[in-house]
């Protein structure tokens, strides 16, 4: 049995895996410093060791995760997790094998394992939320890249605006869609409100949503012609919308018609896993590392 831990900005999701089933799912608080963070996790695992035969620990974490060393680079909502060696720290505390992988990569592994991409080997995963993130899967494995930036699609540039070069995260995320509405109408908005008001005929909301689909389709088009995956999976809360892929497909048709020379249309689907994706993907990563 493997303990699976998903490190989020406001809480930790934890569970014990048994034959792909997640048991004793729980949520732990994010503590104020790294020592307290470690103590909270160790306490929970030791409680589970009284009940289960725990063989290892699988982490999903934000940031630029070095899966070999166990060190998380980059930045996230929990600054203190960046720098410490997770493999060394938890190995010393619990004497168990440790694996750790980036959360978007974990979500992608979950989809390839038993989700929307289970029949495919070469897949790109696009996470659309407050920004744009993602993952590249080659032959069923994560491609991390030289600088651990494999799948960081949000950094790509798809337009120029008055001499500025906004990146994909700044124009194609759901947060970007909301910001466009707030800029024109004022007040506090969220994605659900934007879509609701658009359905009621609000032209500003409708225009912002169309721009969202357009820029997201541009990003996906570029991914297709850079890596040529078999499938592109969209994740994030927006992926729960049943009309998402149809609208992205509509804008892909517009792009392909304008480009002309391009003949390969990206195959786009929404993700299957939501809340448990990172836990499942962390488990898949653990199994790949320890065979």
């Amino acid at each position: 049995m493997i303990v699976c831990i998903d490190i989020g900005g406001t809480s930790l999701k934890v569970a014990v895996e048994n034959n792909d089933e997640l048991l004793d799912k729980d949520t732990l608080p994010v503590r104020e410093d790294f020592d307290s963070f470690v103590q909270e996790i160790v306490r929970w695992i030791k409680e589970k060791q009284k009940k289960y035969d725990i063989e290892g620990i699988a982490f999903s974490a934000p940031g630029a995760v070095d899966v070999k060393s166990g060190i998380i680079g980059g930045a996230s909502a929990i600054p203190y997790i960046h720098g410490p060696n997770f493999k060394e720290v938890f190995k010393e505390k619990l004497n168990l094998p440790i694996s750790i992988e980036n959360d978007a990569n974990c979500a992608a592994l979950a989809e390839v394992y038993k989700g929307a991409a289970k029949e495919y080997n070469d897949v790109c995963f696009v996470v659309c939320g407050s920004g744009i993130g993602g993952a590249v899967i080659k032959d069923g494995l994560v491609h991390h890249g030289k600088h651990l930036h494999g799948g960081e699609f949000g950094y790509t540039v798809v337009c120029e605006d008055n001499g500025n070069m906004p990146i994909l995260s700044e124009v194609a995320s759901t947060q970007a869609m909301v910001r466009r509405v707030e800029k024109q109408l004022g007040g506090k908005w969220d994605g659900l409100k934007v879509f609701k008001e658009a359905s009621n005929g609000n032209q500003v909301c409708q225009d912002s949503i169309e721009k969202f689909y357009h820029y997201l389709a541009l990003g996906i088009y570029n991914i297709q012609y850079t890596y040529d995956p078999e499938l592109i999976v969209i994740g994030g809360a927006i992926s729960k919308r049943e009309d998402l892929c149809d609208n992205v497909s509509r804008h892909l048709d517009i792009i392909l018609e304008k480009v002309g020379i391009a003949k390969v249309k990206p195959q786009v689907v929404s993700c299957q896993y939501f809340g448990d994706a990172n836990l499942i993907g962390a488990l898949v990563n653990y199994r790949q590392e320890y065979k």
Side-chain angles (χ1 to χ4, degrees), residues 155-224:
Y155 285 88
T156 60
V157 176
V158 293
C159 64
E160 185 173 359
D161 182 19
N162 294 324
N164 297 317
M165 289 284 191
I167 60 176
L168 192 65
S169 283
E170 295 173 324
V171 295
S173 64
T174 52
Q175 188 58 42
M177 175 186 68
V178 170
R179 283 197 301 268
R180 283 190 290 267
V181 173
E182 290 179 338
K183 184 177 181 180
Q184 294 188 65
L185 299 179
K188 186 68 175 176
W189 291 72
D190 58 33
L192 291 175
K193 184 179 179 181
V194 172
F195 277 100
K196 180 180 179 181
E197 291 303 311
S199 66
N200 291 333
N202 186 306
Q203 190 63 49
V204 171
C205 292
Q206 291 173 356
D207 291 345
S208 184
I209 291 170
E210 281 299 294
K211 284 186 178 180
F212 161 71
Y213 288 136
H214 170 71
Y215 285 125
L216 184 57
L218 277 177
I220 287 171
Y221 170 89
N222 289 334
I223 292 168
Q224 184 67 49

Side-chain angles (χ1 to χ4, degrees), residues 26-259:
D26 202 353
T27 301
L28 305 181
V30 172
R31 296 301 183 183
E32 61 278 1
D33 55 56
F34 186 70
D35 288 341
S36 301
F37 169 88
V38 172
Q39 291 172 8
E40 183 72 23
I41 293 172
V42 170
R43 177 197 63 76
W44 191 87
I45 292 174
K46 286 185 174 181
E47 281 296 315
K48 299 308 162 185
Q49 285 179 315
K50 299 175 183 178
K51 183 177 178 182
Y52 303 114
D53 180 16
I54 305 298
E55 304 169 25
I57 307 169
F59 282 97
S60 163
V65 178
D66 187 325
V67 297
K68 293 181 179 179
S69 71
I71 296 173
I72 306 173
S76 73
I78 316 177
Y80 59 70
I81 67 173
H82 301 274
N85 190 312
F86 272 65
K87 288 190 172 184
E88 290 182 357
V89 169
F90 285 94
K91 175 77 172 179
E92 179 183 350
K93 297 287 185 181
L94 295 162
N95 194 30
L96 292 169
I98 313 294
S99 71
I100 186 167
E101 177 58 281
N102 168 266
D103 47 12
N105 290 341
C106 284
L109 286 171
E111 296 299 331
V112 172
Y113 179 54
K114 280 190 174 180
K118 63 183 178 183
E119 298 178 358
Y120 300 89
N121 293 313
D122 294 346
V123 176
C124 286
F125 186 75
V126 179
V127 183
C128 185
S130 58
I132 300 286
V136 175
I137 304 294
K138 175 65 177 174
D139 296 328
L141 302 174
V142 173
H143 171 73
H144 294 95
K146 172 66 175 178
H147 304 97
L148 303 179
H149 276 48
E152 289 289 358
F153 308 124
Y155 285 88
T156 60
V157 176
V158 293
C159 64
E160 185 173 359
D161 182 19
N162 294 324
N164 297 317
M165 289 284 191
I167 60 176
L168 192 65
S169 283
E170 295 173 324
V171 295
S173 64
T174 52
Q175 188 58 42
M177 175 186 68
V178 170
R179 283 197 301 268
R180 283 190 290 267
V181 173
E182 290 179 338
K183 184 177 181 180
Q184 294 188 65
L185 299 179
K188 186 68 175 176
W189 291 72
D190 58 33
L192 291 175
K193 184 179 179 181
V194 172
F195 277 100
K196 180 180 179 181
E197 291 303 311
S199 66
N200 291 333
N202 186 306
Q203 190 63 49
V204 171
C205 292
Q206 291 173 356
D207 291 345
S208 184
I209 291 170
E210 281 299 294
K211 284 186 178 180
F212 161 71
Y213 288 136
H214 170 71
Y215 285 125
L216 184 57
L218 277 177
I220 287 171
Y221 170 89
N222 289 334
I223 292 168
Q224 184 67 49
Y225 278 89
T226 301
Y227 178 58
D228 196 23
E230 301 170 271
L231 188 70
I232 296 175
V233 181
I234 302 178
I238 190 70
S239 63
K240 293 182 179 180
R241 288 191 62 86
E242 294 182 356
D243 62 347
L244 173 66
C245 290
D246 287 342
N247 281 298
V248 170
S249 178
R250 174 169 57 85
H251 278 268
L252 284 169
D253 286 337
I254 295 171
I255 294 168
L256 290 168
E257 182 179 353
K258 290 183 177 180
V259 174

